[in-house]
Amino acid sequence: MPVERMLKEETPSRVLVARVLAEAGIEYVFGISGGHTGRIISGLSQVQNQVRMVTVREESLAGVMAEVYGRLTRRPGVMIGQGPWVLGNGLIGTLEAHLSSSPMVLLTDFSDAPHFHLHAPYQQATGDYGSWDARRAFGGVTKQVMQAHEPLEAVQATQLAIKHALSGQMGPVAILFSHDSLAGTVMPEQQPPLYPTRYYLPPDPPPIDQARIDAAAERILAARKPIVIAGNGVRIAQAYEELQKVAEAAGLPVGTTAAGKGVFPETHKLALGVFGTFGTPAANACIGEADLVLVLGSKLSPSDTAWANGKLLDPTRQSFIQVDIEPRNASWTIPAEQIVLGDIKMFLGQLFEAVRSKAGRRAEAEERVAGHRAAHGYFNTEAYDSDDKPILPQRVIGEMMKTLPDNAIVTCDAGENRILMTHFYQVKMAGGFLQAAGSGPMGFGIPAALAAKLVHPDRPVVAVCGDGGFAMTMNGMMTALEHDIPITTVVFNNNALGWVLHGGGPFAAEFNDFDHAAIARAMGCNGMRIEDAKDLAPALKEALGSRKPTVLDVRTSLKTSFADVTSPLANEASPRRR
Ligand SMILES: Cc1ncc(C[n+]2csc(CCOP(=O)(O)OP(=O)(O)O)c2C)c(N)n1
Ligand SMILES: [Mg+2]
């Protein structure tokens, strides 16, 4: 069937940019108006029923919200704002999208003055003498930078940015709009022709060659102690169900990377939890003795491999099958015997068909997991019940595990609190945990929770952060109120940059004791300060039952250090020891 053209009448480009987002099924735009992007926002006002503009208090939160929206939906998360401030403030989420392959589009500008760009106008980012160079600046932190200098290009760039963000290994794409690109109109017959946005959305991924599936199935079924390593790629591919079906059918224990934590329920009898540097001892023991490792959507970074410690992963004694959408990621840090390039959801769906009838090894695999849990420990620390004052982080985590419903989503910030959450928090349902393991920024947890709640309004969403991270992004609680996004934030308030303090001592790492609950109440949120561990569960229950955003400021102790949960495998192989 022939393809129709996009336009029937002369239309302002700013309206068309907004229309393209709606045509791509994008439901939210996050940001703050500024420079020429105000014109796009006026375009967005015309598609309000399809695309909701979430005005934030600082661009950093918009970037993270866009990154998380993209990561959870497979549709680009969109950040909008003026060039200098999207670069200066909004880069945390962009960087995370770049390192964790989340589809994202940055609608930003050159802040150019028409006809005067050679006179070095205020704010300008064209790269001309006397201005700064947005193409170079965004080029280092995105998958692609696009420029739009004319109205038609504004529309075309938006369509192609969505396409590029979603194609292959996904990532962030920045569009730099000039004044003129957003100030004019596009004519229906104008060249080059514009077509509806659906033609630029990626097609369904192609099936994987059956011979590769059969070879993988044969190798997996022939192995004595096969295991799965599941990375963030399983989340991006939205392959939670397929992973569980394959694990059960083929009898595969599942360990995740830190980035992949949450793609498999850690309460499942085949679950090992996170492996590697901050992993569970059970995971590291089980993975270390595996004879076949199926790696799904992971770059196998040094933190995953415990600095390439051969006692954990070693291709000279273990066989690897690696599945990835990006050819450069497979056989990258560990040579794989078999490489499968393609969509992980597709791969797992086909693999399930190949292994389902020959299966029957689930009980044996569950026994293997149970043995490692019993021998090495698995989410069973006594500290979950500690009555210490200040409260031990493990107790806070233990109360969250007991109190939060199975479908809760927990988002993490950076710092020691994230490491302890990674190690001690047991995820009950796939999709229940989210962290920025690509770049590890402070200021991630709260905006990530806001975005997760928008994507999953029916699931309780809890942000966990330190006092450092909370202070960076507490304005997110204003956004929670303004946009009716009822999240709960749990602050591990240890009056310190705990990670820094335990790494290098107290110098430049200590904070005053602020009552973040009182700050939250002053904003209009609910806020409770908790100094006694027994008050945690009732406070969490109250927060979860409330329609209002809530902050629980928990006075936590510095007794537990990240060193306590660092695997001996990582310590012995770390280059820092040498
Ligand atoms: C935006 C940003 N700035 C600095 C860092 C370096 N950093 C990593 S963790 C950390 C300390 C975090 O302190 P806090 O939020 O209180 O959490 P805690 O470690 O005390 O649990 C710092 C400064 C970072 N990751 N991100
Ligand atoms: Mg702290």
Side-chain angles (χ1 to χ4, degrees):
M1 206 178 65
V3 163
E4 75 276 19
R5 282 206 176 196
M6 186 185 192
L7 296 186
K8 298 215 165 33
E9 58 193 8
E10 180 180 0
T11 315
S13 61
R14 63 189 149 76
V15 172
L16 291 173
V17 169
R19 191 188 296 171
V20 166
L21 303 183
E23 285 180 359
I26 292 165
E27 303 149 295
Y28 295 98
V29 171
F30 307 99
I32 303 183
S33 184
H36 309 319
T37 61
R39 290 175 190 267
I40 301 175
I41 290 174
S42 97
L44 284 168
S45 70
Q46 298 195 19
V47 291
Q48 282 183 57
N49 291 339
Q50 292 146 285
V51 187
R52 183 170 151 196
M53 170 75 198
V54 178
T55 301
V56 294
R57 297 306 188 116
E58 204 247 351
E59 289 82 355
S60 166
L61 288 90
V64 172
M65 290 177 81
E67 190 277 316
V68 169
Y69 178 86
R71 194 191 301 221
L72 296 181
T73 63
R74 261 194 115 136
R75 267 166 278 160
V78 179
M79 162 160 55
I80 193 165
Q82 190 174 1
W85 323 131
V86 165
L87 183 76
N89 289 345
L91 222 53
I92 280 179
T94 311
L95 200 58
E96 180 59 22
H98 194 43
L99 298 180
S100 290
S101 313
S102 307
M104 186 172 167
V105 169
L106 285 66
L107 303 177
T108 189
D109 76 348
F110 282 114
S111 291
D112 56 312
H115 309 296
F116 278 81
H117 66 102
L118 296 177
H119 282 200
Y122 168 71
Q123 298 180 330
Q124 184 177 265
T126 54
D128 295 301
Y129 178 67
S131 70
W132 63 283
D133 191 335
R135 280 170 301 184
R136 277 173 59 202
F138 283 105
V141 287
T142 57
K143 187 177 170 188
Q144 186 71 46
V145 179
M146 306 222 163
Q147 308 174 52
H149 294 287
E150 293 176 11
L152 188 141
E153 288 173 1
V155 189
Q156 201 177 24
T158 309
Q159 291 179 318
L160 293 179
I162 292 168
K163 179 182 172 74
H164 288 215
L166 291 170
S167 299
Q169 180 170 234
M170 297 191 275
V173 178
I175 312 174
L176 305 171
F177 294 96
S178 72
H179 167 274
D180 289 358
S181 76
L182 295 171
T185 60
V186 187
M187 306 295 284
E189 297 308 321
Q190 203 171 322
Q191 289 290 95
L194 291 172
Y195 303 105
T197 305
R198 66 176 183 281
Y199 298 112
Y200 302 95
L201 301 179
D204 288 339
I208 312 265
D209 175 17
Q210 194 57 37
R212 297 218 178 253
I213 299 285
D214 293 342
E218 193 181 316
R219 194 70 190 74
I220 291 165
L221 294 174
R224 274 185 315 108
K225 293 182 174 180
I227 55 106
V228 167
I229 286 175
N232 184 49
V234 175
R235 177 181 287 112
I236 297 171
Q238 301 191 330
Y240 304 148
E241 264 176 50
E242 289 80 0
L243 171 60
Q244 187 166 331
K245 279 167 76 177
V246 164
E248 290 170 356
L252 297 171
V254 179
T256 72
T257 62
K261 184 176 170 86
V263 302
F264 191 75
E266 293 176 325
T267 45
H268 194 287
K269 284 190 173 151
L270 288 170
L272 295 165
V274 172
F275 80 103
T277 297
F278 301 115
T280 70
N284 286 345
C286 187
I287 290 174
E289 63 157 42
D291 58 349
L292 180 100
V293 184
L294 173 62
V295 183
L296 302 171
S298 169
K299 295 170 184 166
L300 293 177
S301 73
S303 169
D304 302 324
T305 62
W307 300 104
N309 191 325
K311 290 180 193 158
L312 185 61
L313 294 173
D314 180 356
T316 66
R317 63 179 178 84
Q318 297 164 313
S319 293
F320 286 76
I321 302 174
Q322 193 164 2
V323 189
D324 210 287
I325 192 85
E326 169 55 53
R328 288 173 292 183
N329 293 348
S331 264
W332 176 4
T333 61
I334 295 182
E337 184 181 302
Q338 292 183 24
I339 290 173
V340 184
L341 299 177
D343 180 76
I344 286 168
K345 191 181 178 86
M346 185 64 77
F347 169 81
L348 288 171
Q350 289 177 250
L351 183 64
F352 176 67
E353 294 305 325
V355 297
R356 66 192 302 183
S357 58
K358 300 165 197 128
R361 306 198 308 170
R362 180 173 172 180
E364 186 194 316
E366 285 179 359
E367 249 172 60
R368 188 152 44 105
V369 172
H372 283 293
R373 288 181 182 181
H376 304 285
Y378 186 72
F379 296 112
N380 59 347
T381 173
E382 285 174 7
Y384 286 142
D385 297 314
S386 152
D387 289 324
D388 272 24
K389 208 170 173 183
I391 304 171
L392 270 196
Q394 294 96 310
R395 175 74 190 261
V396 190
I397 295 167
E399 293 299 321
M400 286 174 61
M401 281 157 53
K402 280 184 217 149
T403 312
L404 299 187
D406 289 4
N407 68 343
I409 300 173
V410 173
T411 63
C412 288
D413 211 82
E416 207 148 48
N417 61 91
R418 172 169 78 102
I419 302 302
L420 299 177
M421 284 293 290
T422 301
H423 186 84
F424 288 116
Y425 181 81
Q426 188 173 21
V427 179
K428 295 180 200 142
M429 207 171 119
F433 194 92
L434 201 60
Q435 63 175 311
S439 59
M442 294 166 74
F444 186 84
I446 291 176
L450 292 171
K453 186 71 182 170
L454 288 174
V455 175
H456 295 289
D458 301 331
R459 294 175 72 165
V461 180
V462 178
V464 171
C465 59
D467 46 330
F470 181 80
M472 280 190 186
T473 41
M474 59 189 176
N475 64 59
M477 300 311 292
M478 296 176 176
T479 302
L481 277 169
E482 287 169 336
H483 290 272
D484 190 21
I485 315 173
I487 58 164
T488 297
T489 298
V490 177
V491 186
F492 284 43
N493 186 0
N494 53 15
N495 305 167
L497 298 166
W499 169 266
V500 177
L501 187 144
H502 282 134
F507 179 71
E510 289 176 311
F511 284 138
N512 283 8
D513 183 13
F514 287 97
D515 181 348
H516 304 102
I519 294 173
R521 285 196 301 274
M523 291 178 188
C525 297
N526 289 336
M528 287 168 263
R529 173 157 240 226
I530 295 156
E531 306 202 2
D532 203 320
K534 71 174 179 353
D535 298 330
L536 277 163
L540 277 167
K541 281 185 194 138
E542 193 182 326
L544 294 172
S546 171
R547 278 287 307 155
K548 254 196 201 180
T550 301
V551 173
L552 304 183
D553 183 50
V554 186
R555 256 320 258 117
T556 53
S557 91
L558 281 160
K559 241 193 214 171
T560 313
S561 154
F562 68 87
D564 302 330
V565 297
T566 304
S567 166
L569 294 172
N571 285 333
E572 92 190 8
S574 168
R576 296 195 180 106
R577 274 169 55 99
R578 288 182 219 129

